[in-house]
Structures are given as C-alpha cells and as structure tokens.
Amino acid sequence: MHLLVHLLAAAGGSTIVAPPDPSGMPGSAQILSLVSGLRWFCLVASVATVGAGALAWAAASHTNNPYQSSRGKLAVVVGALGALAVGAAPALISWFFNLGSQVSG
C-alpha cells in the first residue's frame, strides 16, 4: 500500500479522500431518523431497567434477601451503563473515525 501511494504521488495522482456525506445516499434522512428513534428506545429501556432494578433492590433489602438485592443493584448499574453507552456512542464513533483518518499509507 505504501508503494502504491508513492507511485500515485510520483505519477501526479493523489490519494483517495472520501469524507462521509449523508446527502450522497438516498434514504439517509430516514436512516438518521431510524437511528435517533433507536437511541430514544434504548434510553427508555435504560430508564426502565434502572427503575425496576431500584425497586427490586429496595424490596429485597426490606425483606432481607441478599440474592435479589444484589440482582437489583446489578440491574441499576447495567441500566446506567446502557444509558452511558447510548449517550457516548456518537462521540466514541467520531473519535475513532478521526483517529482512523490520521492513518496514512
């Protein structure tokens, strides 16, 4: 690959640069809308998981059931991490894309 870049540069050619452009694909607005809806659904599921986990944790603690209490704690943590993942996903993907764009042949 490195040789190909040097051959293109020597021949007066340039390397390929293709920045992402959502307007270049038909249906991209619908895809972005679908992704936004999916993110909303995941956030609602995360809130429901945190709520159900907190309820189970409280009920199990009140009845002195350590197994169910730990399962409730786990559900709260998983729901919170799910919301964190949904919120951080665009920034992480953008960061990885920018990191990958810095790679040169």
Side-chain angles (χ1 to χ4, degrees):
M1 181 70 180
H2 191 62
L3 177 64
L4 181 62
V5 171
H6 284 300
L7 289 175
L8 283 173
S14 62
T15 58
I16 298 171
V17 177
D21 182 18
S23 64
M25 292 291 294
S28 61
Q30 289 80 10
I31 292 172
L32 290 175
S33 177
L34 182 67
V35 169
S36 294
L38 183 62
R39 289 184 70 207
W40 175 82
F41 177 77
C42 290
L43 285 176
V44 169
S46 293
V47 168
T49 302
V50 169
L55 184 65
W57 184 3
S61 293
H62 182 67
T63 59
N64 294 325
N65 187 339
Y67 175 75
Q68 293 298 329
S69 179
S70 67
R71 300 297 288 180
K73 290 177 191 177
L74 180 64
V76 169
V77 170
V78 167
L81 288 177
L84 177 70
V86 169
L92 286 173
I93 290 172
S94 181
W95 181 74
F96 278 117
F97 176 77
N98 290 333
L99 187 65
S101 297
Q102 296 173 4
V103 176
S104 63

